[in-house]
């Protein structure tokens, strides 16, 4: 499904009909939530009881609801506001969909890591990860071997705000089990 977000910095849609095209003509089983569903989810996450106050909580103007009701939901402005508040777009737009997250081996690593982190920054991040990992190993009475640490450091870095995708978790547990001698 291809999503096109058409918004400018203030959250309003352009009046240019060529610029305001709806989603592509691709047939998709998934659709974006309508205005009512967006407002219910937004009120739930914001703790607000009124549509306008929920949109204001998101950083949008008082006239946004009326504009969206007259035209269509500006999903770009909505996504921008949700991300600014740290709200998961997965939860908001596809709460009951089993989404697939790309694994570390599917992402361009070498160039991305080289551009994002210097060697020193990476080393500091690994040291901080090990400082959190070693107490966990100790708590579970496991030796702090390099292989145990490596598995947990890899898991630590693939975790996303306390969430590790199921395939990654299963892979990490499998690696750990391979290294453990049979107990039979």
């Amino acid at each position: 499904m291809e999503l096109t977000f058409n918004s400018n910095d203030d959250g309003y849609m352009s009046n240019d009909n060529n610029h305001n095209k709806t989603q592509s003509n691709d047939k998709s089983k998934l659709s974006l939530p309508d205005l009512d569903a967006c407002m219910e989810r937004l009120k739930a996450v914001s703790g607000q009881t009124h549509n306008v106050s929920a949109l204001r909580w998101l950083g949008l103007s008082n006239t946004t609801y009326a504009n969206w009701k007259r035209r269509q939901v500006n999903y770009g402005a909505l996504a921008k506001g949700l991300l600014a508040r740290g709200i998961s777009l997965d939860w908001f737009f596809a709460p009951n969909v089993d989404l697939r997250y790309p694994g570390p081996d599917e992402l361009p690593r070498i160039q991305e890591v080289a551009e994002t982190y210097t060697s020193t920054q990476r080393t500091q991040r690994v040291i901080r990860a090990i400082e959190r990992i070693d107490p966990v190993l100790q708590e579970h009475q496991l030796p702090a071997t390099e292989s145990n640490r490596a598995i947990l450091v890899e898991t630590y870095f693939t975790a996303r705000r306390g969430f590790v995708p199921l395939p990654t978790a299963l892979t990490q547990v499998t690696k750990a089990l391979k290294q453990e001698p049979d107990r039979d």
Side-chain angles (χ1 to χ4, degrees):
M1 174 172 74
E2 178 184 327
L3 301 178
T4 305
F5 295 128
N6 300 324
S7 70
N8 57 24
D9 288 339
D10 60 6
Y12 295 103
M13 293 190 66
S14 162
N15 288 326
D16 179 0
N17 286 335
N18 291 325
H19 183 71
N20 287 337
K21 293 186 180 181
T22 57
Q23 293 182 29
S24 70
N25 293 332
D26 296 339
K27 299 285 183 199
S28 174
K29 294 179 184 177
L30 298 176
S31 61
L32 292 171
D34 64 10
L35 178 60
D36 292 334
C38 286
M39 294 315 304
E40 289 307 311
R41 291 176 193 165
L42 189 54
K43 287 189 290 189
V45 75
S46 70
Q48 304 294 318
T49 56
H50 296 91
N51 294 333
V52 173
S53 57
L55 287 165
R56 214 177 16 243
W57 175 85
L58 201 60
L60 300 171
S61 76
N62 291 340
T63 60
T64 301
Y65 182 75
N67 289 337
W68 289 2
K69 192 163 182 78
R70 218 176 25 250
R71 297 179 188 149
Q72 71 179 33
V73 175
N74 182 336
Y75 294 103
L78 183 58
K80 186 177 177 182
L82 291 167
L83 290 172
R85 284 288 192 160
I87 306 299
S88 167
L89 298 181
D90 295 353
W91 171 83
F92 194 88
F93 290 111
N96 298 317
V97 178
D98 186 19
L99 298 174
R100 182 180 102 40
Y101 292 85
D105 57 329
E106 296 176 90
L107 301 173
R109 294 171 72 125
I110 297 171
Q111 185 63 25
E112 181 180 319
V113 170
E115 291 173 1
T116 307
Y117 304 107
T118 66
S119 170
T120 305
Q121 289 170 323
R122 174 73 178 162
T123 302
Q124 289 171 347
R125 289 184 72 217
V126 170
I127 290 169
R128 282 195 305 271
I130 290 173
E131 286 172 352
R132 294 196 59 199
I133 288 166
D134 281 350
V136 174
L137 288 169
Q138 195 172 31
E139 177 185 336
H140 293 279
Q141 300 171 350
L142 293 169
T145 63
E146 290 305 309
S147 61
N148 286 348
R149 282 179 167 167
I151 291 168
L152 290 175
V153 165
E154 185 179 348
T155 304
Y156 179 90
F157 287 129
T158 57
R160 221 176 111 216
R161 293 183 137 194
F163 172 78
V164 177
L166 181 60
T168 302
L170 293 175
T171 299
Q172 296 304 89
V173 170
T174 304
K175 287 179 182 177
L177 291 173
K178 274 179 42 180
Q179 294 180 10
E180 192 172 304
D182 288 337
R183 295 183 182 185
D184 296 332

Coordinates of all heavy atoms in Angstrom, one line a residue, residues 92-133:
F92 N -1.7 3.5 15.8 CA -2.7 4.5 15.4 C -3.4 4.0 14.0 O -4.6 4.0 13.9 CB -2.2 5.9 15.2 CG -3.2 6.9 15.1 CD1 -3.8 7.5 16.3 CD2 -3.7 7.3 13.9 CE1 -4.8 8.4 16.2 CE2 -4.8 8.3 13.9 CZ -5.3 8.8 15.0
F93 N -2.6 3.7 13.0 CA -3.1 3.5 11.7 C -3.5 2.0 11.4 O -4.3 1.7 10.6 CB -2.2 4.0 10.6 CG -2.1 5.5 10.6 CD1 -1.0 6.1 10.9 CD2 -3.2 6.2 10.1 CE1 -0.9 7.5 10.9 CE2 -3.1 7.6 10.1 CZ -2.0 8.3 10.5
A94 N -2.9 1.1 12.1 CA -3.1 -0.4 11.9 C -3.1 -1.1 13.2 O -2.2 -2.0 13.3 CB -2.0 -0.9 10.9
P95 N -4.0 -0.9 14.1 CA -3.9 -1.5 15.4 C -4.1 -3.0 15.4 O -3.6 -3.7 16.3 CB -5.0 -0.8 16.2 CG -5.9 -0.3 15.2 CD -5.1 0.0 14.0
N96 N -4.8 -3.5 14.5 CA -5.1 -5.0 14.5 C -4.4 -5.7 13.3 O -4.8 -6.8 12.9 CB -6.6 -5.2 14.4 CG -7.3 -4.6 15.6 OD1 -6.8 -4.8 16.7 ND2 -8.4 -4.0 15.4
V97 N -3.3 -5.1 12.8 CA -2.6 -5.7 11.6 C -1.3 -6.2 12.1 O -0.6 -5.6 12.9 CB -2.4 -4.6 10.5 CG1 -1.6 -5.2 9.4 CG2 -3.7 -4.0 10.1
D98 N -1.0 -7.4 11.7 CA 0.3 -8.1 12.1 C 1.3 -7.6 11.1 O 1.5 -8.1 10.0 CB 0.2 -9.6 12.0 CG 1.4 -10.3 12.6 OD1 2.2 -9.6 13.3 OD2 1.6 -11.5 12.2
L99 N 2.0 -6.5 11.4 CA 3.0 -5.9 10.5 C 4.3 -6.5 10.6 O 4.7 -7.1 11.6 CB 3.1 -4.4 10.9 CG 1.8 -3.5 10.8 CD1 2.1 -2.1 11.3 CD2 1.4 -3.5 9.3
R100 N 5.0 -6.5 9.5 CA 6.3 -7.1 9.5 C 7.4 -6.0 9.5 O 7.4 -5.0 8.8 CB 6.5 -7.9 8.1 CG 7.8 -8.6 8.0 CD 8.0 -9.3 6.7 NE 8.7 -8.7 5.6 CZ 9.8 -8.1 5.6 NH1 10.4 -7.8 6.7 NH2 10.4 -7.6 4.6
Y101 N 8.3 -6.2 10.5 CA 9.4 -5.2 10.6 C 10.6 -5.8 9.9 O 10.9 -7.0 10.1 CB 9.7 -5.0 12.1 CG 8.6 -4.2 12.8 CD1 7.5 -4.9 13.3 CD2 8.7 -2.9 12.9 CE1 6.5 -4.2 13.9 CE2 7.7 -2.2 13.5 CZ 6.6 -2.8 14.0 OH 5.6 -2.2 14.7
P102 N 11.4 -5.1 9.1 CA 12.6 -5.6 8.5 C 13.6 -6.0 9.6 O 13.8 -5.3 10.5 CB 13.1 -4.5 7.6 CG 12.2 -3.3 7.9 CD 11.1 -3.7 8.8
G103 N 14.2 -7.1 9.4 CA 15.3 -7.6 10.3 C 16.5 -6.8 10.0 O 16.7 -6.2 8.9
P104 N 17.5 -6.9 10.9 CA 18.7 -6.2 10.7 C 19.5 -6.6 9.5 O 20.1 -5.7 8.9 CB 19.5 -6.6 12.0 CG 18.5 -7.0 13.0 CD 17.4 -7.6 12.2
D105 N 19.3 -7.8 9.1 CA 20.0 -8.3 7.9 C 19.4 -7.8 6.6 O 19.9 -7.8 5.5 CB 20.1 -9.8 7.8 CG 18.8 -10.5 7.9 OD1 17.8 -9.9 8.5 OD2 18.6 -11.6 7.3
E106 N 18.2 -7.2 6.7 CA 17.5 -6.6 5.5 C 17.8 -5.2 5.3 O 17.5 -4.6 4.3 CB 16.0 -6.8 5.7 CG 15.5 -8.2 5.7 CD 14.0 -8.3 5.9 OE1 13.3 -8.3 5.0 OE2 13.6 -8.3 7.1
L107 N 18.4 -4.5 6.3 CA 18.6 -3.1 6.2 C 20.0 -2.8 5.8 O 21.0 -3.6 6.1 CB 18.4 -2.5 7.6 CG 17.0 -2.7 8.1 CD1 16.9 -2.2 9.6 CD2 15.9 -2.0 7.3
P108 N 20.2 -1.8 5.0 CA 21.6 -1.4 4.7 C 22.4 -1.0 5.9 O 22.1 -0.1 6.5 CB 21.4 -0.2 3.7 CG 20.1 0.3 4.0 CD 19.3 -0.8 4.5
R109 N 23.3 -1.9 6.3 CA 24.0 -1.7 7.5 C 25.3 -0.9 7.4 O 25.5 0.1 8.2 CB 24.3 -3.0 8.2 CG 23.1 -3.7 8.6 CD 23.4 -5.1 9.1 NE 24.1 -5.1 10.3 CZ 23.7 -5.8 11.4 NH1 22.6 -6.5 11.3 NH2 24.4 -5.7 12.5
I110 N 26.2 -1.3 6.6 CA 27.6 -0.8 6.6 C 27.6 0.7 6.3 O 28.1 1.5 7.1 CB 28.4 -1.5 5.5 CG1 28.5 -3.0 5.9 CG2 29.8 -0.8 5.4 CD1 29.2 -3.8 4.8
Q111 N 26.9 1.2 5.3 CA 26.9 2.6 5.0 C 26.1 3.4 6.1 O 26.6 4.5 6.5 CB 26.3 2.9 3.6 CG 26.3 4.3 3.2 CD 27.8 4.8 3.0 OE1 28.7 4.0 2.7 NE2 28.0 6.1 3.1
E112 N 25.0 2.9 6.5 CA 24.2 3.5 7.5 C 25.0 3.7 8.8 O 25.0 4.8 9.4 CB 22.9 2.8 7.8 CG 22.0 3.4 8.8 CD 20.7 2.6 8.9 OE1 20.2 2.1 7.9 OE2 20.3 2.4 10.1
V113 N 25.6 2.6 9.3 CA 26.4 2.7 10.5 C 27.5 3.6 10.4 O 27.8 4.4 11.2 CB 26.8 1.3 10.9 CG1 27.8 1.3 12.1 CG2 25.7 0.4 11.3
A114 N 28.2 3.6 9.2 CA 29.4 4.5 9.0 C 28.9 5.9 9.0 O 29.7 6.8 9.6 CB 30.0 4.2 7.7
E115 N 27.8 6.3 8.5 CA 27.3 7.6 8.5 C 26.7 8.1 9.8 O 26.8 9.2 10.2 CB 26.2 7.8 7.4 CG 26.8 7.7 6.0 CD 25.7 7.7 5.0 OE1 24.5 7.8 5.3 OE2 26.0 7.6 3.8
T116 N 26.1 7.2 10.5 CA 25.4 7.5 11.7 C 26.4 7.6 13.0 O 26.2 8.5 13.8 CB 24.3 6.5 12.0 OG1 23.5 6.5 10.9 CG2 23.4 7.0 13.2
Y117 N 27.3 6.7 13.1 CA 28.1 6.6 14.3 C 29.6 6.6 13.9 O 30.0 5.9 13.0 CB 27.8 5.3 15.0 CG 26.3 5.2 15.4 CD1 25.5 4.2 14.7 CD2 25.8 5.9 16.4 CE1 24.2 4.1 15.1 CE2 24.4 5.8 16.7 CZ 23.6 4.9 16.0 OH 22.3 4.8 16.4
T118 N 30.3 7.3 14.7 CA 31.8 7.1 14.6 C 32.1 5.9 15.4 O 31.3 5.4 16.2 CB 32.5 8.3 15.1 OG1 32.3 8.4 16.5 CG2 32.1 9.6 14.4
S119 N 33.3 5.4 15.2 CA 33.8 4.2 16.0 C 33.7 4.4 17.5 O 33.3 3.6 18.2 CB 35.2 3.9 15.6 OG 35.8 3.0 16.4
T120 N 34.0 5.6 17.9 CA 34.0 5.9 19.4 C 32.6 5.9 19.9 O 32.3 5.3 21.0 CB 34.6 7.3 19.6 OG1 35.9 7.3 19.1 CG2 34.7 7.6 21.1
Q121 N 31.7 6.5 19.2 CA 30.3 6.5 19.6 C 29.7 5.0 19.7 O 29.0 4.7 20.6 CB 29.4 7.3 18.7 CG 29.7 8.8 18.8 CD 29.0 9.6 17.7 OE1 28.9 9.1 16.5 NE2 28.5 10.8 18.0
R122 N 30.1 4.2 18.7 CA 29.6 2.8 18.7 C 30.2 2.1 19.9 O 29.5 1.4 20.6 CB 30.0 2.2 17.4 CG 29.8 0.7 17.3 CD 28.3 0.4 17.1 NE 28.1 -1.0 17.0 CZ 27.0 -1.6 17.2 NH1 25.9 -1.0 17.5 NH2 26.9 -3.0 17.1
T123 N 31.4 2.3 20.2 CA 32.1 1.7 21.4 C 31.4 2.1 22.7 O 31.1 1.2 23.5 CB 33.6 2.0 21.4 OG1 34.2 1.6 20.2 CG2 34.3 1.3 22.6
Q124 N 31.1 3.4 22.8 CA 30.4 3.9 24.0 C 29.0 3.2 24.1 O 28.6 2.9 25.2 CB 30.3 5.4 24.0 CG 31.6 6.1 24.2 CD 31.6 7.6 23.9 OE1 30.6 8.1 23.4 NE2 32.6 8.3 24.3
R125 N 28.3 3.1 23.0 CA 27.0 2.5 23.1 C 27.1 1.0 23.5 O 26.3 0.5 24.2 CB 26.3 2.6 21.7 CG 25.9 4.0 21.4 CD 25.1 4.1 20.1 NE 23.8 3.5 20.3 CZ 23.1 2.8 19.4 NH1 23.7 2.6 18.2 NH2 22.0 2.3 19.6
V126 N 28.1 0.3 23.0 CA 28.3 -1.1 23.3 C 28.6 -1.2 24.8 O 28.1 -2.1 25.5 CB 29.4 -1.8 22.5 CG1 29.7 -3.2 23.0 CG2 28.9 -1.9 21.0
I127 N 29.4 -0.4 25.3 CA 29.8 -0.4 26.8 C 28.5 -0.1 27.6 O 28.3 -0.8 28.6 CB 30.9 0.6 27.1 CG1 32.2 0.2 26.5 CG2 31.0 0.9 28.6 CD1 33.3 1.2 26.5
R128 N 27.7 0.8 27.2 CA 26.5 1.1 28.0 C 25.6 -0.1 27.9 O 24.9 -0.5 28.9 CB 25.8 2.3 27.4 CG 26.4 3.6 27.9 CD 25.5 4.8 27.7 NE 25.1 5.0 26.3 CZ 25.8 5.7 25.4 NH1 26.9 6.3 25.7 NH2 25.3 5.9 24.2
A129 N 25.5 -0.8 26.8 CA 24.7 -2.0 26.6 C 25.2 -3.1 27.5 O 24.4 -3.7 28.2 CB 24.6 -2.4 25.2
I130 N 26.5 -3.3 27.6 CA 27.0 -4.3 28.4 C 26.8 -4.0 29.9 O 26.5 -4.9 30.7 CB 28.5 -4.6 28.1 CG1 28.7 -5.2 26.7 CG2 29.2 -5.4 29.2 CD1 30.1 -5.3 26.2
E131 N 26.8 -2.8 30.3 CA 26.5 -2.4 31.7 C 25.1 -2.8 32.1 O 24.9 -3.1 33.2 CB 26.7 -0.9 31.9 CG 28.2 -0.5 31.9 CD 28.4 1.1 31.8 OE1 27.4 1.8 31.7 OE2 29.5 1.5 32.0
R132 N 24.2 -2.8 31.1 CA 22.8 -3.2 31.4 C 22.7 -4.7 31.2 O 21.8 -5.3 31.9 CB 21.9 -2.5 30.5 CG 21.8 -1.0 30.7 CD 20.7 -0.3 30.2 NE 19.4 -0.7 30.6 CZ 18.3 -0.5 30.0 NH1 18.3 0.2 28.9 NH2 17.1 -0.9 30.5
I133 N 23.5 -5.3 30.4 CA 23.4 -6.8 30.1 C 24.0 -7.6 31.2 O 23.4 -8.6 31.6 CB 24.0 -7.1 28.8 CG1 23.1 -6.5 27.6 CG2 24.3 -8.6 28.6 CD1 23.8 -6.5 26.3

